[in-house]
């Protein structure tokens, strides 16, 4: 299962890159009054999809390690809970699919920033935090 931990650890950096790219794209779209197009939907869906994959890997790791003898220490439960909330927030932009483009850009930007903040806090809950 060590390979899953490695994938889980490296996937966070891809999520960070996608979050930064999405935040820049949605901020510019909101400020410029751009039209919300297919690429924008794809970027938001890609971010939430990567988080879904990360959550799935993390839950597999947590259950596997817990049942294998490592137990379920509080930092793992806090990390998992925080990340699940971040994934839920990342899926919220789908609720505004019929809203005006500026509203979609603004709300999606704030959802990505909120999820990114929770991701930061969730990783910091782990021993070693971001240096791990």
């Amino acid at each position: 299962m060590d390979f899953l931990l490695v994938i889980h650890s490296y996937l966070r950096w891809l999520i960070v890159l996608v979050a930064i790219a999405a935040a820049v794209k949605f901020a510019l779209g909101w400020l410029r009054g751009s039209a919300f197009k297919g690429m924008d939907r794809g970027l938001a869906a890609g971010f939430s999809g990567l988080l879904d994959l990360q959550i799935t890997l993390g839950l597999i790791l947590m259950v596997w390690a817990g049942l294998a003898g490592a137990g379920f220490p509080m930092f793992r439960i806090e990390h998992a809970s925080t990340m699940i909330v971040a994934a839920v927030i990342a899926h919220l932009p789908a609720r505004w699919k019929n809203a005006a483009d500026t509203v979609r850009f603004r709300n999606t930007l704030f959802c990505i920033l909120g999820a990114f903040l929770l991701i930061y806090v969730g990783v910091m809950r782990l021993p070693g935090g971001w240096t791990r």
Side-chain angles (χ1 to χ4, degrees):
M1 291 306 274
D2 286 339
F3 72 96
L4 279 182
L5 180 60
V6 170
I7 293 170
H8 184 71
S9 295
Y10 283 122
L11 185 58
R12 71 177 163 175
W13 296 112
L14 180 59
I15 291 170
V16 167
L17 290 175
V18 171
I20 291 169
V24 169
K25 175 71 171 99
F26 294 129
L28 290 174
W30 179 30
L31 294 174
R32 292 180 179 168
S34 301
F36 202 91
K37 296 184 179 178
M39 185 183 125
D40 303 315
R41 285 189 300 276
L43 193 55
F47 178 68
S48 62
L50 283 172
L51 280 179
D52 290 344
L53 176 61
Q54 186 76 330
I55 293 291
T56 303
L57 290 173
L59 288 174
I60 291 169
L61 284 167
M62 186 175 85
V63 170
W64 185 275
L67 296 177
F72 297 94
M74 188 53 79
F75 69 85
R76 282 194 184 143
I77 294 169
E78 291 170 352
H79 173 72
S81 301
T82 305
M83 295 307 182
I84 289 170
V85 173
V88 168
I89 290 174
H91 281 278
L92 288 178
R95 296 187 49 85
W96 297 290
K97 64 182 176 183
N98 295 324
D101 290 339
T102 55
V103 171
R104 287 181 79 179
F105 275 117
R106 181 197 66 207
N107 291 356
T108 305
L109 171 65
F110 288 142
C111 285
I112 287 174
L113 292 176
F116 191 61
L117 177 65
L118 285 173
I119 290 167
Y120 178 79
V121 169
V123 172
M124 290 304 296
R125 295 298 312 142
L126 295 172
W130 283 92
T131 61
R132 191 172 189 203

